[in-house]
Amino acid sequence: IPFRKDFMGKVRKMLAVLLAVVVLAVFYARCVEPDMLVVKEITVETDKDVGECKIVFFSDTHFGCLYDQKHVEEIVDTINGRKADIVVFGGDLLDDYSRDREILDLDYLRRQLGRIEAGEAKYAVFGNHDYGGGAARVYRKLMEESGFRLLVDETDVLEKYNIEVIGFDDYLFGATDSAFYHIPNDRFHLVIMHEPVVSKRMEAKGDNFALSGHTHGGQVSVPYLTEALLPKGADRFVKGLYQEPVRMYVSSWIGLTRYPFRLFNVPEIIEIRVVKRK
């Protein structure tokens, strides 16, 4: 009997510890990590004759009932603190416009995004949430009035840096002509896409660097579970830097969607320094 009491006491202690860990993890995932924001720095070298420049990339803010639009002020201040030459937004500004339109202040978002400073240019592309829920009616106007050039299967050449910027339409709701996926080998290309699966459709023999979002890094970074949570259009890409089929960074994004927590997947802004290889 004493052995049984000792055993049951240990079981109760283990269960209490396990319960405490679960409660702390839920609290952290719901109340701590979503409010964090980090900046990751990477350097991209190219043999092309480019002018050195700094690109700041952010994506998937998903402003709405799960991720308060007030976060935009910290996001903008963080971006401006990096003194970027080029700022890029990877799509999915709003989470669900039809659901959240009563709580969203588009004028406030427009003013805040308009504060973003870039020495040369600000670009954006459509994400799937920018089409869904009636958001397409407001997204273009909001971004353009905030000083962003919205690229929908379009290109723009930055002569100052000898860089061509290519922006693809959204893979899930757009209508990109297959011929547009062929990227010539004439200069360095900065490619912006929302879904990383687009990289598998590109015919890119030249020197390029692609930026993507959409996957959310699974939102919860846990082995096996993460892959199961990846949205359509993610393919095998989760987050971080990839070398194949093209050099590409997939952001683990900023906001929240579907459920109100994220775990081991801190919101991030990416700073990319493009330099000519020595």
Side-chain angles (χ1 to χ4, degrees), residues 153 168 175-183 201-203:
D153 293 337
F168 286 106
T176 301
D177 190 294
S178 59
F180 193 69
Y181 288 124
H182 177 75
I183 298 178
R201 296 198 165 203
M202 290 168 50
E203 298 179 30

Side-chain angles (χ1 to χ4, degrees), residues 130-193:
D130 302 318
Y131 276 114
R137 297 195 299 270
V138 300
Y139 178 67
R140 177 182 286 276
K141 184 173 186 290
L142 194 158
M143 296 307 289
E144 290 180 345
E145 290 183 352
S146 300
F148 284 80
R149 176 171 176 181
L150 194 59
L151 298 176
V152 184
D153 293 337
E154 296 173 274
T155 65
D156 189 38
V157 176
L158 297 174
E159 298 289 356
K160 180 177 180 179
Y161 303 108
N162 195 29
I163 292 176
E164 183 171 13
V165 182
I166 300 174
F168 286 106
D169 197 359
D170 180 68
Y171 173 77
L172 298 177
F173 290 97
T176 301
D177 190 294
S178 59
F180 193 69
Y181 288 124
H182 177 75
I183 298 178
N185 186 24
D186 54 345
R187 63 174 90 217
F188 180 83
H189 297 90
L190 174 66
V191 184
I192 313 166
M193 62 187 80

Side-chain angles (χ1 to χ4, degrees), residues 93-259:
L93 181 73
L94 310 176
D95 190 38
D96 187 333
Y97 180 64
S98 62
R99 180 195 66 199
D100 298 329
R101 67 177 67 197
E102 298 300 324
I103 64 172
L104 287 167
D105 185 342
L106 298 184
D107 288 334
Y108 167 75
L109 286 175
R110 186 180 296 109
R111 291 195 303 273
Q112 293 301 319
L113 294 173
R115 288 200 300 115
I116 293 178
E117 300 169 354
E120 191 69 16
K122 293 158 57 173
Y123 297 103
V125 294
F126 269 96
N128 54 306
H129 284 251
D130 302 318
Y131 276 114
R137 297 195 299 270
V138 300
Y139 178 67
R140 177 182 286 276
K141 184 173 186 290
L142 194 158
M143 296 307 289
E144 290 180 345
E145 290 183 352
S146 300
F148 284 80
R149 176 171 176 181
L150 194 59
L151 298 176
V152 184
D153 293 337
E154 296 173 274
T155 65
D156 189 38
V157 176
L158 297 174
E159 298 289 356
K160 180 177 180 179
Y161 303 108
N162 195 29
I163 292 176
E164 183 171 13
V165 182
I166 300 174
F168 286 106
D169 197 359
D170 180 68
Y171 173 77
L172 298 177
F173 290 97
T176 301
D177 190 294
S178 59
F180 193 69
Y181 288 124
H182 177 75
I183 298 178
N185 186 24
D186 54 345
R187 63 174 90 217
F188 180 83
H189 297 90
L190 174 66
V191 184
I192 313 166
M193 62 187 80
H194 183 65
E195 292 90 350
V197 71
V198 171
S199 65
K200 299 179 74 172
R201 296 198 165 203
M202 290 168 50
E203 298 179 30
K205 297 180 180 179
D207 212 353
N208 314 284
F209 189 73
L211 295 170
S212 174
H214 182 66
T215 69
H216 313 153
Q219 196 158 323
V220 173
S221 188
V222 177
Y224 304 111
L225 178 61
T226 297
E227 286 72 13
L229 294 173
L230 291 177
K232 183 179 180 182
D235 196 76
R236 63 178 175 84
F237 306 102
V238 182
K239 62 180 178 180
L241 193 61
Y242 293 86
Q243 299 297 330
E244 296 291 340
V246 297
R247 284 193 297 175
M248 174 174 64
Y249 191 92
V250 181
S251 173
S252 63
W253 75 316
I254 292 179
L256 294 169
T257 190
R258 293 187 291 179
Y259 37 87

Side-chain angles (χ1 to χ4, degrees), residues 26-66:
V26 171
F27 175 78
Y28 172 80
R30 179 66 185 92
C31 302
V32 178
E33 189 165 302
D35 289 332
M36 299 170 66
L37 187 63
V38 299
V39 178
K40 295 183 180 178
E41 301 177 3
I42 60 177
T43 298
V44 175
E45 295 183 332
T46 175
D47 292 322
K48 297 293 185 181
D49 187 20
V50 299
E52 182 174 334
C53 64
K54 183 189 294 183
I55 302 164
V56 171
F57 174 56
F58 71 116
S59 186
D60 296 80
T61 49
H62 286 270
F63 294 123
C65 66
L66 297 181

Side-chain angles (χ1 to χ4, degrees), residues 9-24:
K10 289 182 178 180
V11 170
R12 283 193 290 270
K13 287 180 180 179
M14 290 176 61
L15 290 175
V17 170
L18 180 61
L19 178 61
V21 169
V22 170
V23 170
L24 287 173

